[in-house]
Amino acid sequence: MSMQDRTEAAPPGAGTPPGSAAPAPSGDKLGLALAVIAAAQLMLVLDNTIVAVALPSMQSALGLSDANLGWVITAYALAFGGLLLAGGRAGDLFGRRRVFRTGLVVFTLASLLGGLAGSGEVLLIARVLQGVGAAIAAPTALSLLASTFPAGPARNKALGVYGAMGGLGSVVGLLLGGALTEFLSWRWVMYINIPIAVAVLIGTSVLKEGERDRGKVDVPGALTATFGFGSLVYGINRAGEKGLGDSTTLIALAIAIVLIVAFIAIQRSSRAPMVPGAVVADKSRAGANAVMFLVGAGMFATFYFLTLYMQIVKGYEPMITGLAYLPFAIGIGIAAGGVGPQLLAKVPERSVIAVGLVIGIAGMVWLSLLEPGQNAFAVLLPAQLVCGFGLGLVFVTVTIISVRGVSPEDTGIAAGLINTSQQIGGAVGLAILAATASVITEGRLPGDRSEALTTGYSYGLLIGGGIYLLALIVTLGTIKATAPQSQPQPH
């Protein structure tokens, strides 16, 4: 695609006149725009975990088998992770606000369908459709933020709030899922999305549409990326359940490798690639995506181990389990929403990420000190606050790096990449660490089951800290130590 094609604005009638963009909102409208985007991101991310504590109730009400029960979570992750790149590119080509609204409508209708489900099959279909809607809306939300907020402190603060939502969503999902299931019904973990999505849809009028890319749709690239990443997520999740020796697992992973290699080859040869070379060529941006992948791997596994520890070993109710994650959410909120943006104005981005990861590693080591008979909250609450604060610094900084310097018409695909990194990283980390913890637990049986389980969870958390250490090494090796005052601003 020529440079002229890549910078040309959308045609008349498609949102903005040629050669111009809608004026950016100002004042109170910027605050409303941030609230709209943050609420959408929070809703989409929390749906990864909100159903976790409702699974037993869903199984009892709908007669789901043990095998199908896991698909209530996997179906969402499969569609979400597989379609994120396609969703981001769709926003670049067809208008981000239009595509964002479309994703929200799909997500809302799917949530209604899930809440009304009378059978396990209908619920699984609804979860797939929720994932489709989330994959369309999530990357366009970030690109709308980049086009709505002016470059500089205002955008960095907004990106900090957006980054916080990425971490908070998983925690809030556990908390909210426990409360809704215990006091209302499992169906409300679906219905709760409807009023939030409607409010976000109403508020989208304050968002700036931004520029569009008038290139053609990269159909081969979209298909190989969608089915390649979808097969990867499926294979990883199945490996966690059946092991790497399972034939279906091996077939899925082989298909994923073939399709992802084909996707890379198509991107190199295509005249209108779905992922433009300029988006992935920047070393710091590539490093930010790698760090998000590794942080997602450690964080998703952390929630898994702590939830099992609290419910199986300690016997806590869903509501108590959810409340126990509040310190993690508070830590992320303080770091990403306040301390992080202030640090970024004074020290290099690489230093902020490094400090956040060191704090996160310390928090993971602290969390690994769990024992069956101890007062769990004496370890869980302060350690989660520390871990959440560290990861909050990481989230805000890698989010800023992921979209900074990207051409306005390519912010959708850049946003899709950072979201894909977190989702795929979470799936990989959960499968690997869960399998490792299971092997450690089985090695200590026969014996005290609570002791064996806790040992497995503790080692899993320690390995998660090791993943954060690897992220620290990647940070130091890829992300430039640019002085704050000379950092290039986003377009």
Side-chain angles (χ1 to χ4, degrees), residues 41 142 159 162-167 284-300 353 357 391-402 414-427 429 467-468 470-472 474-475 478-479:
Q41 174 70 352
L142 179 54
L159 286 168
Y162 179 92
M165 295 304 104
S284 291
R285 191 177 304 118
N289 277 277
V291 169
M292 182 64 90
F293 176 92
L294 294 168
V295 169
M299 188 181 71
F300 279 46
I353 298 174
L357 288 170
L391 295 188
L393 295 178
V394 177
F395 284 133
V396 59
T397 312
V398 298
T399 302
I400 289 171
I401 295 173
S402 70
L417 281 172
I418 198 69
N419 278 281
T420 300
S421 297
Q422 185 180 30
Q423 293 300 316
I424 301 298
I467 293 176
Y468 292 163
L470 179 58
L472 176 60
V474 171
T475 297
T478 60
I479 295 177

Side-chain angles (χ1 to χ4, degrees), residues 142-197:
L142 179 54
S143 54
L144 279 167
L145 185 151
S147 62
T148 298
F149 286 80
R155 184 181 293 174
N156 284 352
K157 184 176 181 180
L159 286 168
V161 174
Y162 179 92
M165 295 304 104
L168 283 172
S170 298
V171 181
V172 172
L174 294 165
L175 173 62
L176 194 56
L180 293 173
T181 302
E182 188 161 329
F183 296 116
L184 293 174
S185 161
W186 69 264
R187 297 184 183 276
W188 278 94
V189 303
M190 298 289 171
Y191 291 146
I192 191 64
N193 294 317
I194 298 173
I196 300 174

Side-chain angles (χ1 to χ4, degrees), residues 378-458:
V379 173
L380 287 177
L381 301 187
Q384 285 196 91
L385 181 64
V386 170
C387 199
F389 182 84
L391 295 188
L393 295 178
V394 177
F395 284 133
V396 59
T397 312
V398 298
T399 302
I400 289 171
I401 295 173
S402 70
V403 295
R404 189 189 59 224
V406 178
S407 300
E409 65 271 16
D410 288 332
T411 53
I413 195 61
L417 281 172
I418 198 69
N419 278 281
T420 300
S421 297
Q422 185 180 30
Q423 293 300 316
I424 301 298
V428 172
L430 182 56
I432 294 174
L433 295 186
T436 302
S438 178
V439 170
I440 294 171
T441 296
E442 290 174 2
R444 292 184 174 258
L445 295 173
D448 184 272
R449 186 168 183 267
S450 293
E451 180 73 32
L453 287 170
T454 304
T455 301
Y457 303 152
S458 295

